[in-house]
């Protein structure tokens, strides 16, 4: 595999929300980016979008010295790339086709990383000539701000490929968590799905409104989890005895709640949830909400970094 410290050019395949975020992340790190999307309008809009994201994120110099080239074919974009980040839609047939084409177009020592959040790499590796250089590199929206990226090896991924991908992501400013094995939803999506399941159930059961649930997370769990994870939070909550004392004292009650949890009917709750978030938004459109989120998130991350 190519030395992560020597990667200078990245091919980004697929320029939706995630792909565009990756371009911004790589550009902010000073790398050259070769971009492809089958939608010509997506390609044409990309340079100005990236420059604006970089300026808003305090990377004015990177915006002025942007090394971004747009390409008409996937194969052309991959030519000369030291690392490939693929972000096509979450449809198995599309993903299989694109990964197969990338496998043929790229030298065998170039890592191919897929941003898939719902598909598992093992579904595709058998059909590839060099499956050992493929990994999942799953980021979180907005990619240019959120630190975490999940690196997930498939059953035929070489350990050195997963390690090299993680080192590269760390180099461009991410915090990389390499999972021990693949699972549906990887790690973070499983965690947030579990929390949202109970959040929806609390609304369905009339315990709290949509806005009240969000306020509870933003003003308690959110700040706490921004500095310690759930295991460490309960370790600290156990006083001098730590996590063991916490489990001994409060574990039976937690186990009972786990046993009582149920899965709500999400489809039936959709209208209620939509009305709830619209009321919570208070007339602010999505662009305004996104800018507010990014501003607050940037300030929080800067504070934590300090």
């Amino acid at each position: 595999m190519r030395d992560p410290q020597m990667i200078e050019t990245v091919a980004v395949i697929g320029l939706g929300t995630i792909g565009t975020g990756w371009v911004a992340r790589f550009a902010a790190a000073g790398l050259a980016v070769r971009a492809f999307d089958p939608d010509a309008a997506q390609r044409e809009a990309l340079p100005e979008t990236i420059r604006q994201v970089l300026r808003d994120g305090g990377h004015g110099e990177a915006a002025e010295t942007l090394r971004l080239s747009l390409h008409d074919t996937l194969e052309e974009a991959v030519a000369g790339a030291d690392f490939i980040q693929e972000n096509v839609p979450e449809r198995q047939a599309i993903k299989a086709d694109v990964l197969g084409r990338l496998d043929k177009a790229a030298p065998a020592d170039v890592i191919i990383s897929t941003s898939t959040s719902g598909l598992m790499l093992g579904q595709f590796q058998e059909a590839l000539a060099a499956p050992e250089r493929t990994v999942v590199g799953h980021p979180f929206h907005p990619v240019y701000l959120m630190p975490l990226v999940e690196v997930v090896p498939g059953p035929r991924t070489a350990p050195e490929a997963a390690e090299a991908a993680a080192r590269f992501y760390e180099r461009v400013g991410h915090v990389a968590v390499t999972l021990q094995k693949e699972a549906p939803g990887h790690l973070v999506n499983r965690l947030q799905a579990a929390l949202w399941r109970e959040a929806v159930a609390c609304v369905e059961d009339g315990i709290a409104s949509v806005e009240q649930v969000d306020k509870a997370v933003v003003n308690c769990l959110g700040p706490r989890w921004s500095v310690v994870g759930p295991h460490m939070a309960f370790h600290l909550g156990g006083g001098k005895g730590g996590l063991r004392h916490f489990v001994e004292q409060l574990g039976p009650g937690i186990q009972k709640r786990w046993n009582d949890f149920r899965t709500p009917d999400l489809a039936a709750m959709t209208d209620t949830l939509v009305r709830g978030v619209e009321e919570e938004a208070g007339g602010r459109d999505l662009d305004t909400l996104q800018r507010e989120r990014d501003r607050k998130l940037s300030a929080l991350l800067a504070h934590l970094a300090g």
Side-chain angles (χ1 to χ4, degrees):
M1 302 302 157
R2 299 196 180 182
D3 185 343
Q5 298 302 317
M6 302 302 291
I7 292 173
E8 290 297 328
T9 302
V10 181
V12 177
I13 309 301
L15 301 175
T17 301
I18 296 299
T20 298
W22 273 122
V23 174
R25 171 70 73 170
F26 295 140
L31 301 178
V33 180
R34 300 173 64 84
F36 167 75
D37 192 283
D39 186 339
Q42 290 271 50
R43 298 197 302 269
E44 292 168 6
L46 185 65
E48 186 51 40
T49 298
I50 297 302
R51 289 190 178 94
Q52 189 60 52
V53 169
L54 292 173
R55 293 189 193 105
D56 291 346
H59 300 285
E61 183 177 346
E64 299 307 318
T65 60
L66 181 63
R67 294 189 292 160
L68 173 62
S69 58
L70 308 177
H71 301 275
D72 295 328
T73 68
L74 173 155
E75 288 76 13
E76 182 182 305
V78 168
D82 303 312
F83 188 94
I84 299 169
Q85 189 70 49
E86 172 271 307
N87 323 277
V88 301
E90 294 277 296
R91 296 186 180 89
Q92 187 159 345
I94 296 175
K95 189 77 72 175
D97 175 66
V98 169
L99 287 174
R101 290 170 61 190
L102 290 172
D103 185 53
K104 292 176 182 177
D109 63 341
V110 172
I111 290 173
I112 300 173
S113 182
T114 174
S115 296
T116 181
S117 61
L119 300 174
M120 293 195 290
L121 187 57
Q123 297 172 282
F124 307 102
Q125 285 186 318
E126 290 296 328
L128 303 178
E132 66 279 356
R133 47 80 173 266
T134 57
V135 300
V136 170
H138 178 231
F140 297 89
H141 182 61
V143 181
Y144 48 85
L145 289 179
M146 292 298 288
L148 190 73
V149 60
E150 296 174 317
V151 177
V152 188
R156 299 188 65 182
T157 301
E160 56 267 28
E163 179 184 357
R167 288 171 55 202
F168 171 64
Y169 288 133
E170 295 272 3
R171 179 187 157 202
V172 300
H174 275 295
V175 174
V177 171
T178 302
L179 304 193
Q180 297 174 30
K181 66 177 184 179
E182 63 178 3
H186 314 318
L187 174 61
V188 173
N189 279 344
R190 295 174 72 92
L191 294 174
Q192 68 179 1
L195 176 62
W196 198 39
R197 179 181 68 173
E198 185 56 23
V200 174
C202 284
V203 174
E204 188 175 54
D205 289 343
I207 297 170
S209 69
V210 169
E211 184 173 9
Q212 288 168 333
V213 170
D214 283 359
K215 281 184 176 180
V217 173
V218 169
N219 293 283
C220 181
L221 299 179
R224 178 188 293 167
W225 287 344
S226 70
V227 291
V228 294
H231 299 304
M232 184 59 71
F234 288 153
H235 181 55
L236 296 173
K240 297 295 186 181
L243 183 60
R244 184 174 300 281
H245 179 70
F246 181 91
V247 172
E248 289 172 351
Q249 294 297 310
L250 300 176
I254 291 174
Q255 187 69 58
K256 183 178 186 305
R257 284 194 290 275
W258 284 352
N259 294 339
D260 289 343
F261 283 165
R262 61 178 185 78
T263 300
D265 187 336
L266 183 56
M269 284 295 294
T270 299
D271 288 345
T272 299
L273 298 174
V274 170
R275 284 195 301 271
V277 294
E278 288 175 347
E279 291 171 3
E280 184 179 351
R284 294 168 294 175
D285 61 21
L286 287 173
D287 287 341
T288 300
L289 291 168
Q290 179 172 306
R291 286 194 298 270
E292 290 180 5
R293 178 205 62 193
D294 288 359
R295 175 177 55 80
K296 292 177 180 178
L297 185 56
S298 295
L300 173 62
L301 293 173
H303 176 72
L304 293 173

